[in-house]
């Protein structure tokens, strides 16, 4: 009688063995001895007779473990937490709880670092980013293109269009850079002075790494090798009426170009599509804006008619595209004082952003999809 081969099907010695078992079954035919049949048939024992075992060679590794099942007094052993199917989930939950408790301990004891701009990297990564990430991923479904144009290290200036009535585009750009860049870089945004006079917004902006939109702060950040973001349109862009959507406003006097030239930092144009439609601004209550000290007071199809519900943005589909860098390190130091050069570079950046906006608008299927 030819030697029979016993293939254990209930070998649960380890998870690694279970993962490797299908490959052993695929290679069983290739490792048989010469003359052995390629087809392995299951041998059924005759009724009333035991299966012959004298001529079957069973090694110790092939011997399936004998576990009593459904017998009184012999309960089946419960799986350990490490071998349970959801052991990874439980372990991950425990690690998150331990990390959260450690984070709270550091916050209570003051054992965390804040730079001289007020930027709190740990709070931004673990709390602030986590709060806005669902808005980025699920609500606006932001798609990022051209992330490879952002350098992995060193200072760089990202120049983007500004829109949306409320400055959500800057926050979404910050999350997009951090979550998509291979180096996980942080974007330090230059914000208007109004941001830093509002009670709660002021603290959150400082903690998230934002600073005042001035040449001195921008140069210090670039000198440190930080990634700096600026939206030269300012309130003219974010507060423009819906009828002028995706039409870039004036880029000021080109101060951002002068800053990049002084530091030799590349300028990266950025085009954002989708933010214009979150709050379609159909009117501006200028008198009320002057009373409140705001640059504009928006009137949209839902605000202020629906009260607080009118402040919910529309779930538009966003696309953020980073263009090819414009190098500035080839210019001499005195080029930062050349008004003609600054005008030309500013116009070049503006035209590149506008051209990309038109291209993205043609490519998108719908405002919401």
């Amino acid at each position: 009688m030819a030697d029979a081969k016993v293939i254990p099907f209930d070998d649960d010695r380890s998870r690694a063995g279970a993962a490797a078992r299908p490959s052993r079954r695929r290679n069983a035919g290739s490792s048989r001895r010469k003359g052995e049949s390629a087809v392995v048939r299951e041998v059924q024992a005759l009724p009333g007779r035991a299966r012959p075992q004298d001529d079957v060679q069973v090694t110790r590794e092939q011997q399936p473990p004998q576990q009593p099942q459904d017998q009184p007094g012999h309960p089946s052993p419960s799986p350990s937490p490490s071998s349970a199917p959801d052991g990874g989930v439980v372990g991950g939950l425990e690690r998150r709880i331990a990390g959260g408790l450690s984070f709270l301990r550091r916050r209570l004891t003051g054992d965390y670092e804040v730079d001289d701009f007020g930027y709190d990297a740990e709070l931004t990564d673990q709390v602030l980013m986590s709060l806005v990430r669902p808005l980025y991923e699920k609500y606006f479904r932001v798609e990022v293109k051209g992330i490879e144009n952002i350098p992995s290290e060193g200072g760089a200036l990202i120049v983007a269009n500004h829109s949306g009535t409320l400055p959500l585009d800057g926050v979404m750009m910050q999350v997009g850079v951090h979550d998509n860049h291979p180096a996980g870089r942080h974007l330090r945004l230059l914000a208007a002075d109004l941001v830093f006079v509002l009670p709660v917004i002021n603290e959150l902006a400082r903690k998230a790494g934002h600073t005042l939109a001035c040449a001195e702060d921008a140069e210090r950040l670039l000198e440190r090798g930080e990634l700096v973001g600026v939206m030269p349109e300012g309130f003219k862009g974010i507060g423009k009426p819906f009828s002028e959507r995706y039409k870039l406003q004036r880029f000021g006097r080109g101060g951002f170009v002068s800053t990049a030239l002084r530091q030799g930092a590349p300028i990266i144009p950025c085009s954002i599509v989708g933010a214009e439609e979150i709050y379609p601004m159909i009117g501006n209550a200028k008198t009320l804006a002057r009373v409140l000290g705001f640059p504009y007071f928006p009137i949209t199809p839902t605000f202020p008619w629906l009260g607080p519900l009118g402040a919910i943005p529309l779930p538009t589909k966003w696309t953020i595209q980073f263009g090819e860098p414009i190098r500035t390190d080839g210019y001499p130091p005195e080029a930062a004082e050349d008004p003609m050069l600054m005008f030309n570079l500013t116009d070049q950046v503006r035209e590149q952003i506008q051209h990309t906006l038109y291209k993205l608008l043609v490519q998108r299927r719908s405002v919401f999809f």
Side-chain angles (χ1 to χ4, degrees):
M1 180 178 179
D3 292 343
K5 182 179 292 290
V6 177
I7 303 176
F9 287 93
D10 56 346
D11 187 359
D12 59 349
R13 290 165 297 172
S14 64
R15 297 177 66 91
R21 194 179 304 124
S23 62
R24 290 205 305 268
R25 280 154 58 179
R26 286 195 300 268
N27 297 332
S30 61
S31 61
R32 64 182 183 273
R33 291 190 300 273
K34 183 177 181 181
E36 185 175 313
S37 175
V39 180
V40 180
R41 298 176 178 173
E42 182 180 0
V43 180
Q44 300 290 342
L46 294 176
R49 296 180 56 183
R51 185 189 300 268
Q53 298 290 341
D54 296 337
D55 55 351
V56 177
Q57 297 179 358
V58 181
T59 62
R60 186 172 181 178
E61 289 144 357
Q62 293 174 329
Q63 178 65 38
Q66 300 297 327
Q67 295 183 355
Q69 298 179 358
D70 301 332
Q71 294 183 8
H74 296 280
S76 58
S78 58
S80 61
S82 60
S83 62
D86 58 347
V89 177
V90 175
L93 179 61
E94 291 178 350
R95 285 192 297 270
R96 287 195 295 269
I97 293 176
L101 293 176
S102 178
F103 172 79
L104 289 177
R105 179 187 60 80
R106 289 192 298 272
R107 307 311 294 187
L108 293 175
T109 59
D111 186 18
Y112 58 91
E113 296 182 359
V114 177
D115 68 5
D116 50 354
F117 290 95
Y119 174 50
D120 191 334
E122 184 184 44
L123 182 67
T124 301
D125 285 343
Q126 299 193 22
V127 178
L128 300 182
M129 286 281 188
S130 300
L131 291 176
V132 299
R133 190 168 285 120
L135 195 66
Y136 171 91
E137 294 178 347
K138 306 298 183 182
Y139 198 77
F140 294 136
R141 296 146 291 148
V142 181
E143 179 183 0
V144 176
K145 301 179 179 180
I147 195 68
E148 66 277 0
N149 292 319
I150 300 178
S152 298
E153 56 184 13
L157 185 66
I158 296 180
V159 182
N161 60 304
H162 206 12
S163 62
T165 306
L166 291 181
L168 295 180
D169 50 358
V171 179
M172 295 299 105
M173 183 170 64
Q174 186 179 18
V175 179
V177 170
H178 179 268
D179 288 1
N180 291 275
H181 198 278
R185 300 202 65 177
H186 290 276
L187 180 62
R188 309 291 295 270
L189 289 172
L190 303 180
D193 51 359
L194 177 62
V195 174
F196 301 102
V197 299
L198 299 176
V200 178
I201 303 299
N202 172 29
E203 292 296 327
L204 292 177
R206 289 290 185 185
K207 295 293 185 181
H210 304 171
T211 188
L212 192 63
C214 62
E216 293 77 10
D217 286 0
E219 288 186 19
R220 288 171 58 193
L221 289 172
L222 290 174
E223 188 176 3
R224 295 181 181 184
E226 297 283 355
L227 194 62
V228 181
V230 61
M231 295 174 167
E233 292 179 280
F235 291 121
K236 300 187 303 294
I238 195 175
K240 63 178 176 287
F242 186 68
S243 59
E244 299 180 12
R245 59 191 179 278
Y246 298 115
K247 296 179 181 178
L248 294 183
Q249 305 299 304
R250 191 172 64 89
F251 269 22
R253 292 170 292 181
F256 68 92
V257 172
S258 176
T259 301
L261 286 171
R262 288 191 180 93
Q263 297 299 322
I267 300 175
I268 303 172
C270 176
S271 303
I272 304 174
V273 167
E276 293 275 16
E277 294 90 358
I278 60 173
Y279 295 111
M281 186 169 166
I282 58 177
N284 180 14
K286 297 182 179 180
T287 302
L288 185 57
R290 284 195 296 268
V291 172
L292 298 176
F294 294 157
Y296 56 89
F297 190 88
I299 297 176
T300 73
T302 58
F303 183 83
W305 326 113
L306 299 182
L309 292 177
I312 300 177
L314 297 178
T316 59
K317 175 71 171 63
W318 286 35
T319 301
I320 301 178
Q321 178 162 340
F322 299 97
E324 295 184 2
I326 299 174
R327 313 279 317 175
T328 63
D329 51 359
Y331 294 96
E334 59 270 15
E337 307 300 331
D338 186 351
M340 199 63 189
L341 176 61
M342 286 192 297
F343 175 80
N344 290 336
L345 288 177
T346 302
D347 195 53
Q348 180 182 352
V349 174
R350 186 180 181 278
E351 286 190 1
Q352 188 169 340
I353 295 174
Q354 184 70 81
H355 177 73
T356 306
L357 284 175
Y358 287 149
K359 185 172 68 173
L360 292 175
L361 288 172
V362 172
Q363 292 175 353
R364 75 172 178 176
R365 298 173 301 171
S366 167
V367 173
F368 300 101
F369 303 102

